[in-house]
Amino acid sequence: VRKGAVTTTTTTATNAKERSVRSLLENTKALLANRDILAVSLATLTIHAAVRVIKPISQVVLDEEFGVTMVNRSFIISIATVAYFLTTPIAGYWCDANYGTDDETSRLSRRSNLVAWSLLLMFGSCGFFGLRYWIGIWAFYISVGLLGVALGLFKCSSSSLLADLVDRHRARKRNDSTVESEGDGAYSMVYALADVSDSLGLIVGPIAGLYLSQLYGPSVGVIAIGSLS
C-alpha cells in the first residue's frame, strides 16, 4: 500500500511538472508572437545598431576630418556617456510618474511615447552626424550628446514597457487555469528576447553601417542605419 501511495504521488508530481512546462511553453509562444513585444524588440535592435555604427566611425571622422588627437577624441565620445548618466534617472522618474494613480492605458501610452521619443532622438543624432559638413564639429558634439540621451531614455522606458506588456498579457488570461503555473518565465523569456535583439543590433549595426560607409562615405552608413529607427 505504501509503495503504491509513493508511486501515485510521484506520478502526480510528474504530471504536474509536465503541465507546468507545457503551459510555460504555450504562454511563451503567445508572448513572442505579441506584436507590441516584437515592436519593442525591433526598436531595441535598431537603436543599438545605430549606437554601434556611430561609435567606431566617429573615431575615424574625428581623426581624418577634424584632426582631433586620441585623448581629445575620448573626451568627445564621453559626452554620450555623460548624457546617458544624466538622462537615465530622469527617464526613470518619467516612466514611474503617477505610478499607482493612473490606469494601465495611460501608463502604457506614456512609456510607449518615451520609446518613440528615444527613437526620434537617435534619428536626430544620426542626422547631426551628417550635418557636420556644414555646421562643423559642433554638430558632432550634438550628435553624440543626443545618442546618450536617446539610449538612456530607451533603456528605462523599454524595460518598463515590456513588463507592462507582459502584465497585460497575463491579466487577459487571468481566468485561465494555466496562469498559476506560469511563474516568472514569461518575464524571463521576454527580456531574453530583448537581449537577443540588443545583441543582433550590436552585430548588424557595425557590419552593415561600416560596409555602407566604406562604399559611400561615413555619413551614408550612419544615416542609413539611423533611418531604421
Side-chain angles (χ1 to χ4, degrees), residues 9-175:
T9 302
T10 303
T11 302
T12 302
T14 301
N15 292 337
K17 183 176 180 179
E18 290 177 353
R19 286 195 301 270
S20 177
V21 172
R22 185 166 57 251
S23 172
L24 178 59
L25 291 175
E26 291 174 356
N27 183 64
T28 299
K29 182 179 179 180
L31 278 171
L32 297 184
N34 186 295
R35 293 182 178 179
D36 294 329
I37 292 174
L38 291 178
V40 177
S41 299
L42 180 61
T44 302
L45 187 153
T46 57
I47 200 167
H48 284 90
V51 170
R52 293 304 298 174
V53 73
I54 289 178
K55 285 192 173 182
I57 292 180
S58 62
Q59 296 285 346
V60 177
V61 169
L62 287 171
D63 180 28
E64 296 184 354
E65 297 183 10
F66 297 102
V68 179
T69 63
M70 185 177 297
V71 175
N72 289 334
R73 270 182 272 160
S74 300
F75 283 118
I76 293 174
I77 299 301
S78 67
I79 293 175
T81 305
V82 174
Y84 177 85
F85 174 79
L86 297 175
T87 303
T88 302
I90 299 174
Y93 173 79
W94 284 344
C95 286
D96 292 336
N98 301 322
Y99 184 79
T101 59
D102 57 353
D103 55 18
E104 177 188 358
T105 302
S106 299
R107 188 165 59 252
L108 282 171
S109 177
R110 181 173 64 253
R111 293 173 178 176
S112 298
N113 289 337
L114 290 175
V115 169
W117 271 107
S118 66
L119 294 174
L120 184 62
L121 289 172
M122 183 58 71
F123 179 73
S125 172
C126 296
F128 272 100
F129 187 92
L131 290 175
R132 71 188 185 280
Y133 293 120
W134 297 274
I135 302 178
I137 197 170
W138 282 101
F140 196 88
Y141 295 156
I142 298 174
S143 176
V144 293
L146 287 177
L147 184 149
V149 172
L151 192 59
L153 190 61
F154 182 81
K155 286 284 190 178
C156 289
S157 56
S158 63
S159 298
S160 55
L161 179 58
L162 285 174
D164 285 341
L165 293 173
V166 173
D167 288 340
R168 185 175 67 175
H169 172 82
R170 291 164 66 90
R172 289 176 177 177
K173 292 178 173 287
R174 196 172 300 278
N175 295 327

